[in-house]
Amino acid sequence: MVKRLRNGENGAMHDFYSLYGGYLTAVCSRYIADEEDLKDVFQDALISIFTHIGDFEYRGAGSLKAWSVRIAVNQSLKFLRAKKQHELARLEWDIADEPEEDDPPVGDVPPEAIHRLVSELPTGYRTVFNLFVFENKSHHEIASLLGIKADTSASQLHRAKNLLAKKIRQYNNSKQPPR
């Protein structure tokens, strides 16, 4: 695939899109809530991937996917920084501190519902949550990426988890049959 992309072979971009397009869109959607913005960020990620394919170094099975995901995440963060939508990772003053929530039961919650609930988190919370949970970034790495303090990252993650736990409980309660 990489050789075909580097050689500009007809159909290589289409094959790449068929193979990774859905997954990369899902990665971008972890960070970008608005559908139109998501399309723009995804397109920018693809352009960046195709433009920089010469920089890709094969490191074994899955390395092209991992490299592409990293570009998609970076494009998403770049978009959020440029837009400064609610200032990334700033305390959301309109959301009161929630009491500590226990982990809610998620076994019966479909993945699509979890994704939707995560996408409903405020931008700063959602961004830190996704970087920590899905990208396995430390609070120091998140702080560096977002231009915040590591303590702010930890606080945002804590708030995101509490708010998400509350949303999952509400979801579970809404699905309970009447007694």
Side-chain angles (χ1 to χ4, degrees):
M1 171 80 66
V2 174
K3 287 179 187 176
R4 292 179 58 219
L5 287 168
R6 286 180 177 160
N7 293 334
E9 247 182 65
N10 287 337
M13 287 184 201
H14 181 270
D15 291 347
F16 178 90
Y17 178 83
S18 295
L19 191 60
Y20 297 117
Y23 186 78
L24 294 175
T25 300
V27 168
C28 292
S29 73
R30 291 182 200 149
Y31 301 92
I32 311 298
D34 180 76
E35 195 69 30
E36 291 304 311
D37 290 339
L38 174 61
K39 290 176 186 176
D40 291 342
V41 170
F42 173 67
Q43 180 177 345
D44 290 345
L46 284 179
I47 290 169
S48 185
I49 289 166
F50 296 145
T51 302
H52 295 98
I53 194 69
D55 300 334
F56 170 73
E57 292 179 29
Y58 182 79
R59 295 183 179 167
S63 60
L64 177 60
K65 183 178 181 181
W67 181 78
S68 300
V69 165
R70 200 166 44 251
I71 289 175
V73 168
N74 288 338
Q75 282 300 133
S76 299
L77 296 177
K78 180 180 173 184
F79 172 82
L80 291 173
R81 279 191 299 267
K83 193 165 184 173
K84 292 202 178 205
Q85 192 176 41
H86 307 296
E87 286 187 40
L88 268 182
R90 192 184 77 180
L91 291 178
E92 309 286 339
W93 296 110
D94 58 331
I95 299 173
D97 276 339
E98 297 290 332
E100 185 74 27
E101 292 278 340
D102 292 330
D103 289 341
V106 294
D108 294 332
V109 182
E112 308 81 47
I114 300 249
H115 182 269
R116 181 180 51 78
L117 295 174
V118 169
S119 74
E120 292 172 357
L121 292 173
T123 303
Y125 294 3
R126 183 178 67 245
T127 303
V128 170
F129 179 84
N130 284 318
L131 287 170
F132 188 85
V133 172
F134 295 108
E135 309 306 328
N136 298 315
K137 300 289 185 192
S138 71
H139 289 298
H140 291 290
E141 291 171 313
I142 294 169
S144 176
L145 283 169
L146 301 180
I148 59 175
K149 295 178 183 175
D151 290 346
T152 303
S153 173
S155 171
Q156 293 288 291
L157 178 64
H158 176 75
R159 290 170 182 242
K161 285 181 173 180
N162 278 342
L163 188 55
L164 185 58
K166 182 178 179 181
K167 288 177 173 287
I168 290 171
R169 270 195 218 316
Q170 289 170 343
Y171 176 87
N172 282 335
N173 289 340
S174 72
K175 299 297 177 193
Q176 296 291 325
R179 296 178 189 208

Short mmCIF file of all heavy atoms in Angstrom, two decimals, residues 120-177:
data_model
loop_
_atom_site.label_atom_id
_atom_site.label_comp_id
_atom_site.label_asym_id
_atom_site.label_seq_id
_atom_site.Cartn_x
_atom_site.Cartn_y
_atom_site.Cartn_z
N GLU A 120 -20.61 14.24 23.80
CA GLU A 120 -21.39 15.30 24.44
C GLU A 120 -20.62 16.02 25.55
O GLU A 120 -21.09 17.03 26.07
CB GLU A 120 -22.69 14.72 25.02
CG GLU A 120 -23.66 14.24 23.97
CD GLU A 120 -24.86 13.50 24.56
OE1 GLU A 120 -24.92 13.31 25.80
OE2 GLU A 120 -25.73 13.10 23.77
N LEU A 121 -19.47 15.50 25.94
CA LEU A 121 -18.67 16.16 26.96
C LEU A 121 -18.20 17.52 26.43
O LEU A 121 -17.98 17.67 25.22
CB LEU A 121 -17.45 15.31 27.33
CG LEU A 121 -17.71 14.00 28.05
CD1 LEU A 121 -16.41 13.20 28.17
CD2 LEU A 121 -18.31 14.23 29.42
N PRO A 122 -18.01 18.49 27.32
CA PRO A 122 -17.44 19.77 26.87
C PRO A 122 -16.09 19.54 26.19
O PRO A 122 -15.37 18.59 26.50
CB PRO A 122 -17.28 20.56 28.17
CG PRO A 122 -18.29 19.95 29.10
CD PRO A 122 -18.34 18.49 28.74
N THR A 123 -15.75 20.41 25.27
CA THR A 123 -14.57 20.23 24.42
C THR A 123 -13.30 19.92 25.21
O THR A 123 -12.58 18.98 24.89
CB THR A 123 -14.34 21.49 23.56
OG1 THR A 123 -15.52 21.72 22.79
CG2 THR A 123 -13.16 21.32 22.62
N GLY A 124 -13.00 20.70 26.24
CA GLY A 124 -11.78 20.48 27.02
C GLY A 124 -11.76 19.13 27.69
O GLY A 124 -10.77 18.41 27.67
N TYR A 125 -12.89 18.77 28.32
CA TYR A 125 -13.00 17.47 28.99
C TYR A 125 -12.83 16.34 27.98
O TYR A 125 -12.09 15.38 28.20
CB TYR A 125 -14.37 17.30 29.64
CG TYR A 125 -14.69 18.21 30.79
CD1 TYR A 125 -13.83 19.22 31.22
CD2 TYR A 125 -15.89 18.07 31.47
CE1 TYR A 125 -14.16 20.04 32.28
CE2 TYR A 125 -16.23 18.90 32.54
CZ TYR A 125 -15.36 19.88 32.93
OH TYR A 125 -15.70 20.69 33.98
N ARG A 126 -13.54 16.44 26.86
CA ARG A 126 -13.52 15.39 25.83
C ARG A 126 -12.12 15.22 25.26
O ARG A 126 -11.65 14.10 25.07
CB ARG A 126 -14.51 15.74 24.72
CG ARG A 126 -14.62 14.70 23.63
CD ARG A 126 -15.65 15.06 22.57
NE ARG A 126 -15.25 16.21 21.81
CZ ARG A 126 -15.89 17.38 21.80
NH1 ARG A 126 -16.98 17.55 22.51
NH2 ARG A 126 -15.46 18.38 21.08
N THR A 127 -11.44 16.33 25.04
CA THR A 127 -10.10 16.27 24.45
C THR A 127 -9.13 15.57 25.38
O THR A 127 -8.41 14.65 24.98
CB THR A 127 -9.61 17.68 24.10
OG1 THR A 127 -10.55 18.29 23.21
CG2 THR A 127 -8.25 17.65 23.44
N VAL A 128 -9.10 15.97 26.64
CA VAL A 128 -8.20 15.35 27.60
C VAL A 128 -8.57 13.88 27.80
O VAL A 128 -7.70 13.00 27.82
CB VAL A 128 -8.21 16.11 28.95
CG1 VAL A 128 -7.47 15.34 30.03
CG2 VAL A 128 -7.60 17.50 28.78
N PHE A 129 -9.86 13.59 27.92
CA PHE A 129 -10.33 12.21 28.10
C PHE A 129 -9.85 11.33 26.95
O PHE A 129 -9.29 10.25 27.16
CB PHE A 129 -11.86 12.19 28.19
CG PHE A 129 -12.44 10.81 28.36
CD1 PHE A 129 -12.54 10.23 29.61
CD2 PHE A 129 -12.89 10.10 27.26
CE1 PHE A 129 -13.07 8.95 29.77
CE2 PHE A 129 -13.42 8.83 27.40
CZ PHE A 129 -13.52 8.26 28.66
N ASN A 130 -10.05 11.79 25.71
CA ASN A 130 -9.65 11.00 24.54
C ASN A 130 -8.15 10.80 24.46
O ASN A 130 -7.68 9.70 24.15
CB ASN A 130 -10.18 11.65 23.26
CG ASN A 130 -11.65 11.42 23.08
OD1 ASN A 130 -12.15 10.34 23.31
ND2 ASN A 130 -12.36 12.45 22.67
N LEU A 131 -7.39 11.86 24.73
CA LEU A 131 -5.94 11.72 24.67
C LEU A 131 -5.43 10.74 25.73
O LEU A 131 -4.54 9.94 25.47
CB LEU A 131 -5.27 13.09 24.87
CG LEU A 131 -5.37 14.04 23.68
CD1 LEU A 131 -4.90 15.43 24.06
CD2 LEU A 131 -4.58 13.51 22.49
N PHE A 132 -6.03 10.78 26.91
CA PHE A 132 -5.61 9.90 27.99
C PHE A 132 -6.06 8.46 27.75
O PHE A 132 -5.27 7.52 27.83
CB PHE A 132 -6.16 10.41 29.33
CG PHE A 132 -5.62 9.68 30.53
CD1 PHE A 132 -4.42 10.06 31.10
CD2 PHE A 132 -6.31 8.61 31.08
CE1 PHE A 132 -3.91 9.38 32.21
CE2 PHE A 132 -5.82 7.93 32.18
CZ PHE A 132 -4.61 8.32 32.75
N VAL A 133 -7.33 8.28 27.42
CA VAL A 133 -7.92 6.94 27.31
C VAL A 133 -7.56 6.25 26.00
O VAL A 133 -7.12 5.10 25.99
CB VAL A 133 -9.45 7.00 27.49
CG1 VAL A 133 -10.10 5.66 27.20
CG2 VAL A 133 -9.80 7.46 28.90
N PHE A 134 -7.73 6.95 24.88
CA PHE A 134 -7.56 6.29 23.58
C PHE A 134 -6.15 6.41 23.01
O PHE A 134 -5.70 5.53 22.29
CB PHE A 134 -8.56 6.84 22.56
CG PHE A 134 -9.98 6.52 22.91
CD1 PHE A 134 -10.84 7.50 23.38
CD2 PHE A 134 -10.46 5.23 22.82
CE1 PHE A 134 -12.15 7.21 23.71
CE2 PHE A 134 -11.76 4.92 23.16
CZ PHE A 134 -12.61 5.91 23.61
N GLU A 135 -5.47 7.51 23.31
CA GLU A 135 -4.13 7.70 22.76
C GLU A 135 -3.04 7.34 23.77
O GLU A 135 -1.86 7.46 23.48
CB GLU A 135 -3.95 9.15 22.29
CG GLU A 135 -5.04 9.68 21.38
CD GLU A 135 -5.30 8.83 20.15
OE1 GLU A 135 -4.37 8.20 19.62
OE2 GLU A 135 -6.48 8.80 19.71
N ASN A 136 -3.45 6.95 24.99
CA ASN A 136 -2.52 6.54 26.04
C ASN A 136 -1.45 7.59 26.35
O ASN A 136 -0.29 7.27 26.60
CB ASN A 136 -1.84 5.21 25.68
CG ASN A 136 -2.84 4.10 25.56
OD1 ASN A 136 -3.72 3.95 26.40
ND2 ASN A 136 -2.73 3.32 24.50
N LYS A 137 -1.85 8.85 26.33
CA LYS A 137 -0.93 9.94 26.65
C LYS A 137 -0.93 10.17 28.15
O LYS A 137 -1.95 10.05 28.82
CB LYS A 137 -1.35 11.25 25.94
CG LYS A 137 -1.39 11.17 24.44
CD LYS A 137 -0.02 11.08 23.84
CE LYS A 137 -0.08 11.12 22.33
NZ LYS A 137 1.19 10.76 21.72
N SER A 138 0.24 10.52 28.68
CA SER A 138 0.35 10.88 30.09
C SER A 138 -0.14 12.32 30.27
O SER A 138 -0.30 13.06 29.29
CB SER A 138 1.81 10.77 30.55
OG SER A 138 2.57 11.82 29.97
N HIS A 139 -0.35 12.71 31.51
CA HIS A 139 -0.79 14.09 31.76
C HIS A 139 0.28 15.08 31.33
O HIS A 139 -0.04 16.17 30.85
CB HIS A 139 -1.18 14.29 33.22
CG HIS A 139 -2.46 13.59 33.58
ND1 HIS A 139 -3.66 13.90 32.98
CD2 HIS A 139 -2.71 12.58 34.45
CE1 HIS A 139 -4.61 13.11 33.47
NE2 HIS A 139 -4.06 12.30 34.36
N HIS A 140 1.54 14.71 31.45
CA HIS A 140 2.62 15.59 30.99
C HIS A 140 2.59 15.74 29.47
O HIS A 140 2.77 16.84 28.95
CB HIS A 140 3.98 15.08 31.46
CG HIS A 140 4.17 15.20 32.94
ND1 HIS A 140 4.33 16.41 33.57
CD2 HIS A 140 4.19 14.27 33.92
CE1 HIS A 140 4.46 16.23 34.87
NE2 HIS A 140 4.37 14.93 35.12
N GLU A 141 2.35 14.64 28.76
CA GLU A 141 2.25 14.70 27.29
C GLU A 141 1.04 15.52 26.87
O GLU A 141 1.12 16.33 25.93
CB GLU A 141 2.16 13.29 26.71
CG GLU A 141 3.44 12.49 26.85
CD GLU A 141 3.26 11.03 26.46
OE1 GLU A 141 2.27 10.39 26.91
OE2 GLU A 141 4.11 10.52 25.72
N ILE A 142 -0.10 15.31 27.53
CA ILE A 142 -1.31 16.07 27.22
C ILE A 142 -1.07 17.55 27.47
O ILE A 142 -1.43 18.40 26.64
CB ILE A 142 -2.51 15.56 28.04
CG1 ILE A 142 -2.87 14.13 27.62
CG2 ILE A 142 -3.72 16.49 27.88
CD1 ILE A 142 -3.86 13.43 28.55
N ALA A 143 -0.44 17.86 28.59
CA ALA A 143 -0.15 19.25 28.92
C ALA A 143 0.70 19.89 27.83
O ALA A 143 0.43 21.02 27.40
CB ALA A 143 0.57 19.33 30.27
N SER A 144 1.69 19.17 27.36
CA SER A 144 2.56 19.68 26.31
C SER A 144 1.78 19.88 25.00
O SER A 144 1.94 20.90 24.32
CB SER A 144 3.71 18.71 26.08
OG SER A 144 4.52 19.13 25.02
N LEU A 145 0.93 18.93 24.65
CA LEU A 145 0.15 19.03 23.41
C LEU A 145 -0.83 20.20 23.44
O LEU A 145 -1.05 20.86 22.43
CB LEU A 145 -0.65 17.74 23.18
CG LEU A 145 0.10 16.54 22.65
CD1 LEU A 145 -0.77 15.30 22.74
CD2 LEU A 145 0.52 16.79 21.21
N LEU A 146 -1.43 20.44 24.60
CA LEU A 146 -2.50 21.43 24.70
C LEU A 146 -2.05 22.77 25.28
O LEU A 146 -2.84 23.71 25.33
CB LEU A 146 -3.66 20.87 25.54
CG LEU A 146 -4.29 19.58 25.03
CD1 LEU A 146 -5.41 19.14 25.96
CD2 LEU A 146 -4.81 19.75 23.61
N GLY A 147 -0.82 22.85 25.73
CA GLY A 147 -0.34 24.09 26.31
C GLY A 147 -0.98 24.40 27.66
O GLY A 147 -1.31 25.55 27.96
N ILE A 148 -1.15 23.37 28.47
CA ILE A 148 -1.74 23.52 29.81
C ILE A 148 -0.81 22.87 30.82
O ILE A 148 0.21 22.30 30.44
CB ILE A 148 -3.15 22.87 29.88
CG1 ILE A 148 -3.06 21.37 29.56
CG2 ILE A 148 -4.13 23.58 28.95
CD1 ILE A 148 -4.37 20.61 29.73
N LYS A 149 -1.15 22.96 32.09
CA LYS A 149 -0.37 22.30 33.14
C LYS A 149 -0.83 20.84 33.27
O LYS A 149 -1.98 20.53 33.00
CB LYS A 149 -0.57 23.01 34.47
CG LYS A 149 -0.03 24.42 34.48
CD LYS A 149 -0.30 25.07 35.82
CE LYS A 149 0.19 26.51 35.80
NZ LYS A 149 -0.16 27.22 37.04
N ALA A 150 0.08 19.99 33.72
CA ALA A 150 -0.26 18.58 33.93
C ALA A 150 -1.37 18.45 34.96
O ALA A 150 -2.25 17.59 34.82
CB ALA A 150 0.98 17.80 34.36
N ASP A 151 -1.38 19.30 35.98
CA ASP A 151 -2.44 19.27 36.99
C ASP A 151 -3.79 19.61 36.37
O ASP A 151 -4.82 19.05 36.77
CB ASP A 151 -2.15 20.25 38.13
CG ASP A 151 -0.98 19.81 39.00
OD1 ASP A 151 -0.57 18.63 38.90
OD2 ASP A 151 -0.49 20.65 39.77
N THR A 152 -3.79 20.52 35.42
CA THR A 152 -5.04 20.88 34.73
C THR A 152 -5.54 19.69 33.92
O THR A 152 -6.74 19.40 33.91
CB THR A 152 -4.83 22.10 33.80
OG1 THR A 152 -4.34 23.19 34.59
CG2 THR A 152 -6.11 22.50 33.11
N SER A 153 -4.63 18.98 33.27
CA SER A 153 -5.01 17.78 32.53
C SER A 153 -5.64 16.76 33.45
O SER A 153 -6.70 16.19 33.15
CB SER A 153 -3.78 17.19 31.83
OG SER A 153 -4.09 15.95 31.24
N ALA A 154 -5.01 16.52 34.60
CA ALA A 154 -5.54 15.55 35.56
C ALA A 154 -6.91 15.98 36.06
O ALA A 154 -7.83 15.15 36.19
CB ALA A 154 -4.57 15.38 36.73
N SER A 155 -7.07 17.26 36.33
CA SER A 155 -8.36 17.78 36.79
C SER A 155 -9.44 17.63 35.72
O SER A 155 -10.57 17.22 36.02
CB SER A 155 -8.20 19.26 37.17
OG SER A 155 -9.44 19.85 37.43
N GLN A 156 -9.08 17.94 34.47
CA GLN A 156 -10.03 17.81 33.37
C GLN A 156 -10.45 16.35 33.18
O GLN A 156 -11.62 16.07 32.93
CB GLN A 156 -9.42 18.35 32.07
CG GLN A 156 -9.18 19.84 32.06
CD GLN A 156 -10.46 20.61 31.98
OE1 GLN A 156 -11.14 20.61 30.95
NE2 GLN A 156 -10.82 21.29 33.04
N LEU A 157 -9.48 15.43 33.30
CA LEU A 157 -9.80 14.01 33.17
C LEU A 157 -10.74 13.57 34.29
O LEU A 157 -11.72 12.87 34.04
CB LEU A 157 -8.52 13.16 33.20
CG LEU A 157 -8.76 11.66 33.12
CD1 LEU A 157 -9.40 11.27 31.80
CD2 LEU A 157 -7.44 10.91 33.33
N HIS A 158 -10.46 13.99 35.50
CA HIS A 158 -11.31 13.64 36.65
C HIS A 158 -12.73 14.15 36.41
O HIS A 158 -13.71 13.42 36.61
CB HIS A 158 -10.70 14.25 37.92
CG HIS A 158 -11.53 14.05 39.13
ND1 HIS A 158 -11.62 12.84 39.79
CD2 HIS A 158 -12.35 14.91 39.81
CE1 HIS A 158 -12.44 12.96 40.81
NE2 HIS A 158 -12.89 14.21 40.86
N ARG A 159 -12.85 15.39 35.99
CA ARG A 159 -14.18 15.97 35.73
C ARG A 159 -14.88 15.26 34.58
O ARG A 159 -16.09 15.02 34.62
CB ARG A 159 -14.06 17.46 35.44
CG ARG A 159 -13.68 18.28 36.64
CD ARG A 159 -13.33 19.70 36.23
NE ARG A 159 -12.92 20.48 37.37
CZ ARG A 159 -13.57 21.54 37.79
NH1 ARG A 159 -14.64 21.97 37.18
NH2 ARG A 159 -13.12 22.20 38.84
N ALA A 160 -14.11 14.93 33.54
CA ALA A 160 -14.69 14.22 32.39
C ALA A 160 -15.24 12.86 32.81
O ALA A 160 -16.34 12.48 32.43
CB ALA A 160 -13.64 14.05 31.29
N LYS A 161 -14.46 12.13 33.61
CA LYS A 161 -14.90 10.81 34.07
C LYS A 161 -16.15 10.91 34.92
O LYS A 161 -17.08 10.10 34.77
CB LYS A 161 -13.78 10.11 34.86
CG LYS A 161 -12.66 9.59 34.00
CD LYS A 161 -11.62 8.91 34.87
CE LYS A 161 -10.56 8.23 34.06
NZ LYS A 161 -9.56 7.58 34.94
N ASN A 162 -16.20 11.89 35.81
CA ASN A 162 -17.39 12.06 36.65
C ASN A 162 -18.61 12.41 35.82
O ASN A 162 -19.69 11.86 36.03
CB ASN A 162 -17.15 13.15 37.71
CG ASN A 162 -16.41 12.63 38.91
OD1 ASN A 162 -16.34 11.41 39.13
ND2 ASN A 162 -15.85 13.52 39.69
N LEU A 163 -18.44 13.33 34.88
CA LEU A 163 -19.57 13.73 34.04
C LEU A 163 -20.02 12.57 33.15
O LEU A 163 -21.22 12.34 32.98
CB LEU A 163 -19.19 14.96 33.20
CG LEU A 163 -20.29 15.63 32.41
CD1 LEU A 163 -21.47 16.02 33.30
CD2 LEU A 163 -19.74 16.86 31.69
N LEU A 164 -19.06 11.82 32.61
CA LEU A 164 -19.40 10.67 31.78
C LEU A 164 -20.11 9.60 32.60
O LEU A 164 -21.09 9.00 32.14
CB LEU A 164 -18.15 10.11 31.12
CG LEU A 164 -18.35 8.98 30.13
CD1 LEU A 164 -19.29 9.39 28.99
CD2 LEU A 164 -17.01 8.52 29.57
N ALA A 165 -19.65 9.35 33.82
CA ALA A 165 -20.31 8.37 34.70
C ALA A 165 -21.76 8.78 34.96
O ALA A 165 -22.68 7.94 34.92
CB ALA A 165 -19.55 8.24 36.01
N LYS A 166 -21.98 10.07 35.18
CA LYS A 166 -23.34 10.57 35.41
C LYS A 166 -24.20 10.36 34.16
O LYS A 166 -25.34 9.90 34.25
CB LYS A 166 -23.28 12.06 35.77
CG LYS A 166 -24.61 12.66 36.06
CD LYS A 166 -24.46 14.13 36.45
CE LYS A 166 -25.82 14.74 36.72
NZ LYS A 166 -25.71 16.16 37.07
N LYS A 167 -23.63 10.65 32.99
CA LYS A 167 -24.37 10.47 31.73
C LYS A 167 -24.70 8.99 31.49
O LYS A 167 -25.79 8.66 31.02
CB LYS A 167 -23.57 11.03 30.55
CG LYS A 167 -23.50 12.55 30.50
CD LYS A 167 -22.63 13.00 29.35
CE LYS A 167 -22.67 14.48 29.16
NZ LYS A 167 -23.92 14.96 28.60
N ILE A 168 -23.77 8.11 31.82
CA ILE A 168 -24.00 6.66 31.63
C ILE A 168 -25.10 6.19 32.58
O ILE A 168 -25.97 5.41 32.20
CB ILE A 168 -22.69 5.87 31.81
CG1 ILE A 168 -21.76 6.15 30.64
CG2 ILE A 168 -22.98 4.38 31.94
CD1 ILE A 168 -20.36 5.59 30.79
N ARG A 169 -25.07 6.69 33.82
CA ARG A 169 -26.15 6.33 34.76
C ARG A 169 -27.51 6.80 34.23
O ARG A 169 -28.49 6.07 34.32
CB ARG A 169 -25.90 6.98 36.12
CG ARG A 169 -25.10 6.13 37.02
CD ARG A 169 -25.16 6.59 38.45
NE ARG A 169 -23.91 6.44 39.13
CZ ARG A 169 -23.12 5.39 39.09
NH1 ARG A 169 -23.45 4.38 38.38
NH2 ARG A 169 -22.00 5.35 39.75
N GLN A 170 -27.55 8.02 33.74
CA GLN A 170 -28.80 8.54 33.19
C GLN A 170 -29.26 7.69 32.01
O GLN A 170 -30.44 7.39 31.87
CB GLN A 170 -28.64 10.01 32.77
CG GLN A 170 -28.50 10.95 33.92
CD GLN A 170 -28.09 12.36 33.49
OE1 GLN A 170 -27.61 12.59 32.39
NE2 GLN A 170 -28.28 13.31 34.41
N TYR A 171 -28.32 7.31 31.16
CA TYR A 171 -28.63 6.44 30.03
C TYR A 171 -29.20 5.12 30.52
O TYR A 171 -30.24 4.66 30.03
CB TYR A 171 -27.39 6.21 29.17
CG TYR A 171 -27.63 5.25 28.03
CD1 TYR A 171 -28.09 5.71 26.81
CD2 TYR A 171 -27.41 3.88 28.17
CE1 TYR A 171 -28.33 4.84 25.75
CE2 TYR A 171 -27.65 3.00 27.13
CZ TYR A 171 -28.11 3.48 25.93
OH TYR A 171 -28.36 2.61 24.89
N ASN A 172 -28.52 4.49 31.48
CA ASN A 172 -28.98 3.22 32.02
C ASN A 172 -30.36 3.34 32.65
O ASN A 172 -31.22 2.45 32.48
CB ASN A 172 -27.99 2.65 33.04
CG ASN A 172 -26.78 2.02 32.39
OD1 ASN A 172 -26.84 1.56 31.25
ND2 ASN A 172 -25.67 2.02 33.09
N ASN A 173 -30.59 4.42 33.38
CA ASN A 173 -31.90 4.64 34.04
C ASN A 173 -33.01 4.83 33.00
O ASN A 173 -34.14 4.40 33.23
CB ASN A 173 -31.84 5.81 34.99
CG ASN A 173 -31.03 5.50 36.23
OD1 ASN A 173 -30.81 4.33 36.57
ND2 ASN A 173 -30.54 6.53 36.89
N SER A 174 -32.68 5.47 31.89
CA SER A 174 -33.70 5.71 30.85
C SER A 174 -34.05 4.42 30.12
O SER A 174 -35.09 4.33 29.50
CB SER A 174 -33.23 6.78 29.86
OG SER A 174 -32.20 6.27 29.03
N LYS A 175 -33.19 3.41 30.19
CA LYS A 175 -33.42 2.14 29.51
C LYS A 175 -34.07 1.09 30.42
O LYS A 175 -34.35 -0.01 29.98
CB LYS A 175 -32.09 1.56 28.96
CG LYS A 175 -31.43 2.46 27.95
CD LYS A 175 -32.31 2.63 26.74
CE LYS A 175 -31.69 3.58 25.75
NZ LYS A 175 -32.60 4.02 24.74
N GLN A 176 -34.26 1.43 31.70
CA GLN A 176 -34.87 0.49 32.63
C GLN A 176 -36.37 0.36 32.32
O GLN A 176 -37.05 1.35 32.11
CB GLN A 176 -34.71 0.99 34.08
CG GLN A 176 -33.27 1.06 34.54
CD GLN A 176 -32.65 -0.31 34.70
OE1 GLN A 176 -33.32 -1.25 35.09
NE2 GLN A 176 -31.38 -0.42 34.35
N PRO A 177 -36.89 -0.86 32.31
CA PRO A 177 -38.33 -1.02 32.10
C PRO A 177 -39.10 -0.48 33.30
O PRO A 177 -38.61 -0.54 34.44
CB PRO A 177 -38.51 -2.53 31.96
CG PRO A 177 -37.29 -3.15 32.58
CD PRO A 177 -36.20 -2.11 32.49
#
